[in-house]
Amino acid sequence: MPPRASLQAFLATARAALKAAPQATSRAQPFTFVIGNESADLDSLCSAILLAYMRTHTPPHTLHIPVSNLPRDDLALRPEMAATLSHAGLALSDLLTLSELPDLQQLKSEWLLVDHNAPTGSLREQRGSHIIGCIDHHADEDFVASDAATRIIEQCGSCMSLVVRDSRAVWEDLASQDRESKDAAAEDEKLAKLALAPILIDTTNLTSEDKVRPQDTEAVRFLESMIQDKAFDRTRFFDAITEVKADISQLSFRDIFRKDYKEWYDNSLKLGISSVVQNLDYLISEVGNGKDDDFLDQLKQWAEERKLDIASVMTTSTDDKGQFQRELIFWGTTDQGSAVLARFADSSSGKLELETWSDGRLDSTARKAWKQKNLAASRKQVAPLLREAMKTV
């Protein structure tokens, strides 16, 4: 087996391979990329890194290049990723993004999807015919071939939990070979913290009964066994990253809308959903000027920039008593989008337990804001309901 690379050395090797790619057009073997979904949240970013690292250390030791599915400049909108990387001895500058990708039309390439099972965004057409597999915890979109070498689609709190399970045998083998090496033990601890962060964030430190599955608890148990630091406290680790993630006070509305954002096309309509870690009152009073129209104007501008038929913002936050809460605003910006709104409200209000937000002060014929009492339904569950409504308009 080739010598084990540190995580930082692995990322440096991947970067060097990308730089050399334009001169490798005659290369016989395709480049193999691992990429998360376009929201580029903590789960996607960290899962791509860990999966690529472990697959590279798996026979036949093909280099898997982890790609963060966002432009380089957008990394600055993810301070929680910077905080997580610091525990792994890394910085945002160590990551590879869409900005570093060469001209894909000139290269042979294969793509392993993580935290999604169908490519979206601008790269869909470029890599659609080269998908070799997926590891995901969202609804199956039947895009990845049923006989793909890797096709893992299971519902659980965090996709990272599936990546850890998939990588565990290789990881344990690496650890056993380096059992006497302090450097290897330190590297395992860095990898464990990188993997632990998204699972804890996505499951609220394993306390969210609606999200936590056996895959999550088993992954956390394994990862904690890889951390030798006796002073490590999982709750403090979770709280520190949560605090950084929740601070959006310095961001503009546009940055907030694009920080954790996904798009879908269905029936010639375009849907965009932004996930935000503060509630609507916070957005209006703290980010805006305390005026509803300021928030609505900014959301309208964002919808126009992205050419959306349906613009949506889903919020998560805690109230004054520390109770978790969800809110949702939905805006049909075109006639067809408004028709989708009506159908969605009719078909999904009961499932999501939607209640009018703040006496309907943000509502119009084409726009509705709700409190969402079904706290188990995140964007992962709401997006398919919206897309189903799009198909029937």
Side-chain angles (χ1 to χ4, degrees):
M1 174 180 285
R4 178 181 180 181
S6 69
L7 185 54
Q8 191 164 49
F10 161 69
L11 291 173
T13 298
R15 182 178 297 277
L18 273 187
K19 286 184 177 179
Q23 287 76 47
T25 53
S26 60
R27 169 178 160 138
Q29 295 299 317
F31 286 84
T32 303
F33 297 101
V34 182
I35 192 165
N37 68 51
E38 66 177 330
S39 75
D41 61 1
L42 199 63
D43 200 17
S44 276
L45 294 173
C46 294
S47 292
I49 295 170
L50 184 69
L51 183 59
Y53 179 87
M54 290 300 173
R55 287 297 176 96
T56 299
H57 286 85
T58 302
H61 303 288
T62 301
L63 176 64
H64 285 59
I65 300 174
V67 180
S68 302
N69 197 349
L70 76 176
R72 166 67 53 184
D73 290 346
D74 285 5
L75 276 176
L77 301 178
R78 288 154 178 80
E80 66 275 15
M81 186 60 183
T84 299
L85 289 174
S86 69
H87 290 281
L90 300 172
L92 292 175
S93 57
D94 291 307
L95 303 187
L96 299 168
T97 71
L98 298 179
S99 302
E100 283 76 62
L101 284 181
D103 183 357
L104 297 178
Q105 303 295 344
Q106 304 301 316
L107 296 177
K108 296 177 182 177
S109 62
E110 298 176 337
W111 295 83
L112 181 55
L113 307 181
V114 65
D115 204 21
H116 61 317
N117 61 81
T120 58
S122 61
L123 293 181
R124 180 180 177 110
E125 295 302 321
Q126 291 178 310
R127 65 172 186 259
S129 61
H130 303 290
I131 304 299
I132 60 173
C134 68
I135 298 180
D136 187 30
H137 65 145
H138 295 87
D140 190 349
E141 299 191 40
D142 296 318
F143 185 92
V144 176
S146 59
D147 60 351
T150 300
R151 195 181 194 281
I152 300 170
I153 304 175
E154 300 175 19
Q155 289 204 355
C156 58
S158 172
C159 185
M160 179 62 85
S161 299
L162 303 178
V163 172
V164 169
R165 189 187 65 188
D166 178 78
S167 305
R168 181 167 176 169
V170 174
W171 196 340
E172 289 178 328
D173 188 41
L174 290 172
S176 67
Q177 294 181 43
D178 299 322
R179 196 176 302 279
E180 303 304 320
S181 170
K182 291 183 179 180
D183 289 342
E187 201 62 37
D188 283 331
E189 185 163 316
K190 291 176 182 177
L191 287 166
K193 290 178 179 178
L194 180 77
L196 197 55
I199 301 176
L200 299 182
I201 291 297
D202 284 353
T203 64
T204 318
N205 196 15
L206 294 183
T207 64
S208 176
E209 295 181 1
D210 296 323
K211 291 186 175 182
V212 177
R213 298 291 184 272
Q215 301 98 314
D216 303 303
T217 54
E218 182 57 32
V220 169
R221 188 178 301 115
F222 169 71
L223 294 171
E224 288 187 309
S225 75
M226 288 290 181
I227 298 176
Q228 303 301 311
D229 181 7
K230 301 301 182 183
F232 177 78
D233 183 280
R234 192 180 83 197
T235 298
R236 284 203 299 267
F237 180 71
F238 165 75
D239 287 344
I241 295 173
T242 299
E243 183 178 358
V244 173
K245 185 175 187 285
D247 184 7
I248 58 174
S249 60
Q250 302 304 308
L251 299 182
S252 67
F253 273 121
R254 181 177 180 274
D255 286 345
I256 289 170
F257 295 148
R258 69 190 180 97
K259 183 179 187 294
D260 188 351
Y261 173 75
K262 284 186 178 180
E263 285 183 354
W264 292 268
Y265 291 91
D266 264 306
N267 196 24
S268 300
L269 299 176
K270 190 174 182 182
L271 162 68
I273 305 180
S274 300
S275 290
V276 180
V277 294
Q278 295 286 356
N279 61 30
L280 292 174
D281 270 329
Y282 178 95
L283 294 178
I284 292 168
S285 63
E286 300 297 327
V287 181
N289 296 315
K291 299 178 180 179
D292 294 349
D293 286 346
D294 289 344
F295 167 70
L296 294 174
D297 287 345
Q298 291 294 316
L299 181 55
K300 182 179 180 181
Q301 289 180 33
W302 173 246
E304 290 172 347
E305 177 182 336
R306 301 304 307 173
K307 297 180 172 59
L308 300 177
D309 295 279
I310 308 104
S312 181
V313 175
M314 296 186 65
T315 76
T316 56
S317 60
T318 54
D319 61 20
D320 295 338
K321 298 179 180 179
Q323 297 298 308
F324 182 73
Q325 57 186 6
R326 290 186 182 276
E327 295 170 349
L328 167 67
I329 183 169
F330 183 110
W331 196 340
T333 61
T334 63
D335 289 343
Q336 284 183 301
S338 295
V340 172
L341 166 60
R343 186 172 292 275
F344 170 78
D346 182 61
S347 62
S348 300
S349 290
K351 296 175 186 176
L352 298 178
E353 300 175 40
L354 300 180
E355 297 180 359
T356 299
W357 183 82
S358 193
D359 296 324
R361 72 184 219 225
L362 296 182
D363 293 357
S364 69
T365 303
R367 185 178 62 242
K368 298 293 180 184
W370 294 284
K371 294 179 181 178
Q372 182 183 311
K373 294 299 185 177
N374 179 352
L375 301 180
S378 65
R379 180 170 59 187
K380 187 167 58 175
Q381 288 78 35
V382 174
L385 297 176
L386 285 163
R387 295 175 64 190
E388 187 63 30
M390 292 163 65
K391 291 175 181 177
T392 54
V393 171

